[in-house]
C-alpha cells in the first residue's frame, strides 16, 4: 500500500528513577499520549504544572482514525499552541451532498459562521494532530515517556502509586493526581475494576484511506442505500495530502479480516467511483462502536478523560473533539486544587459537567446511528420517507441525520453558574460556551475575542462606549486582579481606546455587544475554559467575588 | 418564506418545538420528535406498526382539522409514494 505519511519513531529513554531505584512523586501523571492525553499535558504545562506523560507505544496513531476536528476543539488547540498548524495542514469542505439510491436528494453549503475565527470543522488525519501535539509537548517540557506501560494502580487517600513496565523492567511512580487518557479499552479503568455502561451496536464499518490520482471535488458525499452498496450507507470525504476517507457500512454478519483484504476492498471502491478513476489504497480498517460512559469520571485521585471515560459512535465526530473539551474543563480546576485555592470537590464538577456533555454526545450520536442504520422495517420506512420528502421540503431536510457535528455543551445545569438576576436576550446564558467575534487589540491589530479569553484565570468583560470614561469604576475593576483567585478585567469598548491597568478590546463590528446582548455597563464573568459563569447589567464587585467563589466551590 | 409558500396552508419548513423548552441547537427539536416516533414503534411487529401509523395519522388529522391543509399533505405524500 501507498504511504503519504512517514510515521515518526520516538526514542525510548530509561527513566532516571528506574536507574536510581527510587520512586519519585509528581503532582500530575497522565497515561496515554493520544490527542486527549497530550492536550491535558500541554494545558498542565501552560499552567506551570510539572507533568509526566506515559505511553506504551513510541509513535503516533496508526491510520487516519479521527479525521474531523470541530470548531470548539480548534479553539482549544489555538490556546494550546497548535491550532494554526492543524488548520493550515487540514482541509475544509463546505459542500455536502446527500444521495438516496441513485439520486442526489439535496446538498448544503456549510459556510463558516461569519465573523468567527475558526470554521465549523476541518478534516485532518489523526497522526498529523498527534505529531504536532508531541512536538508541542516537547517544546513545553512535558516529561514524555514512550514505551512505559502501567501494570498496576494502587489508590491511596492522598496519592496514586503506579507500577510501570519499560524495556528495562518495572519501576514505581507516585502521583498526586492521575489523569487516565488511555482510550476506549482503558487499562487503568480495568486495573481499577471500573465499569463503563451503555449500548453496543451490532454493526461493522469498513474505513479505507484512498489516494486519488486525479482531481476530485472537496465535498462530503453521503449515500443512503446506493446501488453500488445496497441496503447500507457510504461516506466519502477529503483529508490532507489528497487522501480521501471512505466509510462503508458492512452490517454485523461480515468477517472483518476478510473485508480488510485489498482484493475485497478495491472492487467496492471501484463500484463507487467508477472504473475510470485511478486511486491507491493507503490504509484499511474495520470498526465497531459503542455508545457508553462511566458513571463518574472522577474516582478519588484518578480522573478519566476522553474515550477512557465515554465512547460514542463516529457520526458527528464527537469522540476526540469531546475528549479535548474534557481536558479544557479539567485542567484549570486541577490547578486551583493543586494550589490549595479550591477544595477537591471542585473536581467533582469536572465529572458532573462532562458527564452531562457526554450524555448529550451519546444522545446525538445514537440518534444519528439509528437514522443511518435503522433497526426495524418501520424505522427504515420512516428514514426512507424522510429522504424522499427531503428532495422537495425543507422540514424533511432538517430531519436527515447523517451526523450532528460536534458542538460544545451548554452547561446550563452546572452548580458553578450564578443564575441571572437581570434580563438578557440571546444564548450567552450562564454555562454557555462563548461565541467568538472580531476585536481590535490594544496594540492596534485585529484579533479575535476567544483568543483573549481563558487559560490562566477568570476574566470579566466590561462593556462600555468609551473606555476612558470609566472613572473610579476602573479602580474597582483593577482591584479584582489582586484577589487570591484573580479576575482580569477586559474592557470591551465601542470606540477604540486605552486605559491604564486594563486591556481594552475594540468591538470593531459591534458584534461582541450584539452576540452578548450587552449595553453600557453590562458585565460577563468568564471561566478559564471560555464558558460564561454569570452576567449582570451593572458591575458590582461583591457579586463578582461571590460568583467566583461559587465557580470554584469555595462558598 | 417566499411569496409562493405564503399562499400554501401546509407548513413545509422546520416547525418542531416544545412550550417552555429552550433549544440551543436548531436540529434538536426535530431530532427529539424523530426519536419519539421511532421509540413509539419499539418492539412492535410490522402489522402492529402499520396500525400505530394509521391511528397516528387519524389523531393528527383531526387535530389539524383544516381540510385544505390535509388535502395538500395527502397530495404531497402521494407524490413520493
Amino acid at each position: 500500500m501507498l504511504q503519504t505519511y512517514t510515521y515518526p519513531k520516538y526514542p525510548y529513554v530509561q527513566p532516571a528513577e528506574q536507574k536510581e531505584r527510587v520512586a519519585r512523586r509528581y503532582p500530575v501523571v497522565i497515561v496515554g499520549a493520544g490527542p486527549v492525553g497530550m492536550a491535558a499535558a500541554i494545558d498542565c504545562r501552560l499552567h506551570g504544572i510539572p507533568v509526566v506523560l506515559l505511553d506504551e507505544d513510541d509513535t503516533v496513531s496508526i491510520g487516519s482514525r479521527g479525521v474531523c476536528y470541530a470548531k470548539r476543539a480548534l479553539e482549544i488547540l489555538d490556546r494550546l499552541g497548535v491550532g494554526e498548524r492543524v488548520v493550515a495542514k487540514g482541509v475544509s469542505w463546505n459542500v455536502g451532498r446527500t444521495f438516496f439510491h441513485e439520486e442526489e436528494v439535496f446538498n448544503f453549503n456549510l459556510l463558516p459562521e461569519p465573523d468567527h475565527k475558526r470554521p465549523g470543522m476541518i478534516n485532518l488525519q489523526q497522526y498529523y494532530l498527534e505529531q504536532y501535539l508531541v512536538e508541542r509537548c516537547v517544546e513545553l517540557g512535558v516529561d514524555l515517556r514512550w514505551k512505559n506501560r502501567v501494570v498496576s494502580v494502587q489508590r491511596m487517600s492522598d496519592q496514586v502509586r503506579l507500577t510501570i513496565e519499560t524495556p528495562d523492567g518495572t519501576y514505581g511512580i507516585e502521583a498526586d493526581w492521575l489523569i487516565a487518557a488511555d482510550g476506549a479499552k482503558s487499562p487503568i479503568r480495568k486495573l481499577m475494576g471500573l465499569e463503563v455502561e451503555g449500548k453496543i451496536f451490532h454493526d461493522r464499518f469498513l474505513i479505507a484511506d484512498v489516494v486519488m490520482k486525479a482531481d476530485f471535488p472537496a465535498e462530503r458525499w453521503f449515500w443512503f442505500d446506493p446501488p453500488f452498496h445496497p441496503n447500507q450507507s457510504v461516506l466519502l470525504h477529503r483529508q490532507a495530502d489528497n487522501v480521501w476517507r471512505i466509510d462503508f457500512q458492512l452490517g454485523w454478519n461480515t468477517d472483518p479480516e476478510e473485508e480488510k483484504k485489498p482484493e475485497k476492498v478495491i472492487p467496492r471502491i471501484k463500484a463507487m467511483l467508477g472504473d475510470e478513476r485511478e486511486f491507491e489504497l493507503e490504509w484499511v480498517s474495520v470498526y465497531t462502536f459503542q455508545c457508553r460512559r462511566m458513571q463518574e469520571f472522577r474516582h478519588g485521585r484518578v480522573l478519566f478523560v476522553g474515550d477512557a471515560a465515554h465512547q460514542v459512535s463516529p457520526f458527528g465526530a464527537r469522540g476526540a473533539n469531546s475528549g479535548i473539551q474534557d481536558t479544557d474543563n479539567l485542567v484549570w480546576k486541577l490547578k486551583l486544587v493543586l494550589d490549595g485555592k479550591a477544595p477537591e470537590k471542585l473536581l467533582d464538577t469536572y465529572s458532573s459537567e462532562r458527564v452531562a456533555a457526554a450524555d448529550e454526545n451519546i444522545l446525538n450520536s445514537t440518534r444519528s446511528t439509528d437514522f443511518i442504520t435503522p433497526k426495524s422495517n418501520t424505522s427504515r420506512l420512516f428514514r426512507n420517507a424522510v429522504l424522499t420528502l427531503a428532495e422537495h421540503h425543507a422540514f424533511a431536510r432538517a430531519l436527515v441525520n447523517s451526523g450532528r457535528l460536534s458542538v460544545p455543551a451548554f452547561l446550563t445545569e452546572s452548580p458553578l453558574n450564578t443564575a441571572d438576576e437581570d434580563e438578557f436576550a440571546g444564548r450567552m446564558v450562564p454555562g454557555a460556551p462563548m461565541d467568538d467575534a472580531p476585536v481590535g487589540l490594544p496594540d492596534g491589530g485585529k484579533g479575535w475575542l476567544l483568543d483573549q479569553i481563558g487559560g490562566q484565570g477568570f476574566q470579566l468583560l466590561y462593556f462600555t462606549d468609551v473606555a476612558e470614561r470609566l472613572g473610579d469604576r476602573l479602580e474597582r475593576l483593577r482591584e479584582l486582579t489582586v484577589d487570591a483567585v484573580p479576575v482580569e478585567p477586559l474592557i470591551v469598548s465601542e470606540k477604540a481606546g486605552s486605559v491604564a491597568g486594563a486591556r481594552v478590546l475594540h468591538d470593531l463590528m459591534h458584534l461582541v455587544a450584539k452576540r452578548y446582548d450587552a449595553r453600557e455597563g453590562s458585565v460577563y464573568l468568564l471561566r478559564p475554559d471560555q464558558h460564561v459563569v454569570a452576567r449582570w447589567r451593572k458591575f458590582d464587585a461583591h457579586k463578582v467575588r461571590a460568583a467566583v467563589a461559587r465557580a470554584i466551590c469555595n462558598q | 418564506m417566499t411569496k409562493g409558500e405564503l399562499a400554501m396552508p401546509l407548513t413545509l419548513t422546520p416547525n418542531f418545538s416544545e412550550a417552555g423548552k429552550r433549544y440551543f441547537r436548531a436540529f434538536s427539536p426535530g431530532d427529539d420528535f424523530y426519536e419519539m416516533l421511532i421509540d413509539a414503534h419499539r418492539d412492535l411487529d410490522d402489522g402492529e406498526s402499520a396500525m400505530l401509523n394509521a391511528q397516528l395519522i387519524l389523531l393528527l388529522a383531526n387535530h389539524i382539522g383544516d381540510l385544505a391543509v390535509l388535502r395538500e399533505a395527502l397530495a404531497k405524500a402521494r407524490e413520493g409514494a
Side-chain angles (χ1 to χ4, degrees):
Chain A
M1 285 193 214
L2 191 80
Q3 288 292 330
T4 56
Y5 181 77
T6 308
Y7 289 90
K9 196 171 164 64
Y10 298 113
Y12 159 75
V13 180
Q14 188 182 19
E17 58 250 65
Q18 188 176 36
K19 273 189 220 158
E20 294 156 15
R21 298 176 176 283
V22 283
R24 288 208 189 130
R25 181 137 174 193
Y26 298 90
V28 176
V29 171
I30 301 170
V31 181
V36 178
M38 287 194 281
I42 291 166
D43 211 358
C44 282
R45 289 303 301 134
L46 292 175
H47 280 91
I49 306 168
V51 62
V52 174
L53 175 55
L54 307 169
D55 195 87
E56 59 181 10
D57 200 4
D58 63 353
T59 188
V60 293
S61 132
I62 302 298
S64 59
R65 295 174 67 190
V67 299
C68 301
Y69 295 95
K71 181 171 189 287
R72 184 62 185 163
L74 296 175
E75 288 160 358
I76 295 167
L77 293 173
D78 272 337
R79 190 168 64 68
L80 300 181
V82 298
E84 226 31 80
R85 284 188 86 183
V86 166
V87 172
K89 182 71 191 174
V91 296
S92 299
W93 57 270
N94 289 327
V95 174
R97 296 185 192 277
T98 302
F99 300 86
F100 179 42
H101 299 148
E102 296 93 53
E103 302 290 316
E104 180 182 332
V105 284
F106 69 98
N107 60 65
F108 55 90
N109 197 334
L110 189 87
L111 285 172
E113 257 186 287
D115 303 311
H116 285 242
K117 180 180 181 188
R118 293 305 181 197
M121 65 176 295
I122 58 118
N123 284 8
L124 182 68
Q125 295 92 317
Q126 186 171 328
Y127 40 75
Y128 279 117
L129 172 64
E130 291 193 12
Q131 182 198 323
Y132 301 157
L133 288 167
V134 170
E135 288 163 18
R136 184 71 174 141
C137 280
V138 171
E139 193 176 286
L140 291 173
V142 172
D143 185 347
L144 187 37
R145 300 182 185 183
W146 304 103
K147 295 261 175 217
N148 275 241
R149 190 166 67 91
V150 176
V151 291
S152 85
V153 180
Q154 195 189 351
R155 292 166 63 189
M156 329 278 278
S157 63
D158 65 338
Q159 60 164 295
V160 183
R161 286 187 187 168
L162 302 176
T163 310
I164 297 158
E165 199 176 79
T166 74
D168 292 304
T170 59
Y171 72 103
I173 201 169
E174 296 172 2
D176 291 345
W177 298 93
L178 178 70
I179 299 177
D182 52 349
K185 291 175 186 161
S186 179
I188 300 288
R189 199 180 64 220
K190 283 189 187 140
L191 288 168
M192 290 172 64
L194 296 168
E195 301 288 329
V196 54
E197 290 159 21
K199 199 166 156 187
I200 295 172
F201 288 87
H202 289 274
D203 215 331
R204 289 186 213 282
F205 284 78
L206 171 77
I207 47 179
D209 279 355
V210 161
V211 186
M212 297 283 189
K213 293 207 169 152
D215 278 347
F216 201 73
E219 299 175 350
R220 176 191 195 259
W221 291 8
F222 198 103
W223 285 268
F224 291 97
D225 194 6
F228 59 83
H229 194 54
N231 296 316
Q232 313 281 20
S233 66
V234 179
L235 170 64
L236 169 75
H237 52 167
R238 191 186 172 186
Q239 311 172 57
D241 304 334
N242 225 22
V243 176
W244 296 80
R245 161 67 76 78
I246 309 174
D247 278 44
F248 290 98
Q249 185 196 353
L250 292 177
W252 187 238
N253 295 316
T254 43
D255 177 354
E257 289 312 310
E258 192 61 27
E259 293 293 343
K260 268 192 267 188
K261 292 180 178 165
E263 60 264 35
K264 187 97 182 167
V265 177
I266 288 168
R268 283 195 192 285
I269 298 170
K270 281 200 161 153
M272 170 182 163
L273 297 176
D275 263 344
E276 73 283 6
R277 191 85 65 179
E278 278 192 82
F279 65 88
E280 286 218 44
L281 211 51
E282 182 165 82
W283 175 70
V284 179
S285 176
V286 172
Y287 67 90
T288 57
F289 51 80
Q290 295 90 35
C291 285
R292 55 185 192 175
R293 67 163 170 87
M294 298 174 75
Q295 285 285 315
E296 302 280 341
F297 298 168
R298 178 186 175 205
H299 288 265
R301 291 183 162 256
V302 185
L303 301 145
F304 289 85
V305 294
D307 282 356
H310 47 77
Q311 295 143 42
V312 291
S313 84
F315 309 114
R318 289 167 179 265
N321 284 301
S322 69
I324 290 168
Q325 290 171 60
D326 287 344
T327 67
D328 196 40
N329 186 295
L330 173 61
V331 175
W332 67 269
K333 294 175 180 174
L334 195 51
K335 170 69 176 169
L336 286 168
V337 171
L338 279 167
D339 287 353
K341 291 180 176 176
E344 284 182 18
K345 71 178 178 189
L346 178 60
L347 295 169
D348 291 333
T349 71
Y350 158 69
S351 182
S352 61
E353 289 184 342
R354 292 312 295 169
V355 160
D359 284 346
E360 189 179 311
N361 287 321
I362 288 170
L363 176 80
N364 281 300
S365 88
T366 301
R367 286 171 168 182
S368 302
T369 309
D370 286 341
F371 192 88
I372 293 164
T373 65
K375 304 299 181 292
S376 69
N377 289 332
T378 303
S379 181
R380 180 175 295 272
L381 187 65
F382 274 115
R383 199 277 308 271
N384 292 350
V386 167
L387 289 168
T388 304
L389 289 165
E391 196 174 346
H392 301 291
H393 308 305
F395 91 94
R397 288 196 276 279
L399 292 175
V400 174
N401 188 346
S402 64
R404 302 300 189 198
L405 178 63
S406 171
V407 280
F410 280 73
L411 304 171
T412 50
E413 304 304 312
S414 172
L416 305 186
N417 299 339
T418 293
D420 279 338
E421 54 186 58
D422 302 325
E423 291 280 332
F424 281 88
R427 55 181 213 161
M428 289 296 99
V429 299
M434 289 177 67
D435 267 348
D436 203 1
V439 290
L441 301 175
D443 66 9
K446 193 190 156 194
W448 298 94
L449 176 64
L450 289 190
D451 282 342
Q452 312 308 313
I453 307 298
Q456 297 306 309
F458 286 81
Q459 285 160 304
L460 189 79
L461 293 184
Y462 187 104
F463 288 86
T464 185
D465 292 341
V466 184
E468 287 80 358
R469 286 191 213 139
L470 282 171
D472 63 343
R473 274 165 298 173
L474 185 62
E475 193 46 47
R476 281 180 291 129
L477 285 166
R478 278 197 304 237
E479 281 166 11
L480 295 169
T481 63
V482 293
D483 287 2
V485 176
V487 177
E488 188 211 1
L490 272 175
I491 314 301
V492 181
S493 178
E494 202 182 319
K495 295 193 176 59
S498 68
V499 293
R503 287 193 290 158
V504 178
L505 303 177
H506 177 202
D507 193 2
L508 286 171
M509 300 169 72
H510 310 301
L511 282 173
V512 187
K514 188 177 170 208
R515 289 177 179 162
Y516 289 76
D517 183 35
R519 299 196 290 259
E520 173 70 37
S522 296
V523 289
Y524 271 75
L525 179 63
L526 309 168
R527 289 168 32 158
D529 56 5
Q530 300 178 336
H531 280 263
V532 174
V533 178
R535 55 187 178 170
W536 300 272
R537 286 292 176 200
K538 194 170 181 296
F539 169 59
D540 177 336
H542 295 291
K543 285 182 180 172
V544 172
R545 289 192 170 100
V548 170
R550 186 178 171 86
I552 62 171
C553 293
N554 240 352
Q555 276 184 318
Chain B
M1 214 180 261
T2 64
K3 235 178 180 177
E5 281 172 319
L6 273 173
M8 297 202 288
L10 182 67
T11 303
L12 292 167
T13 47
N15 191 38
F16 296 106
S17 67
E18 185 165 1
K21 188 159 176 187
R22 177 153 196 192
Y23 293 97
F24 291 104
R25 307 291 175 196
F27 58 78
S28 295
D31 285 1
D32 284 352
F33 161 72
Y34 197 81
E35 184 180 79
M36 279 163 59
L37 177 66
I38 302 305
D39 273 352
H41 285 273
R42 200 165 297 278
D43 302 324
L44 300 185
D45 65 28
D46 292 353
E48 290 166 332
S49 273
M51 188 61 180
L52 185 159
N53 283 335
Q55 293 185 51
L56 183 63
I57 290 165
L58 295 170
L59 286 163
L60 296 176
N62 178 63
H63 178 82
I64 292 162
D66 184 340
L67 292 191
V69 174
L70 293 168
R71 191 174 293 117
E72 197 186 334
L74 285 165
K76 292 237 180 320
R78 175 92 188 181
E79 275 167 32

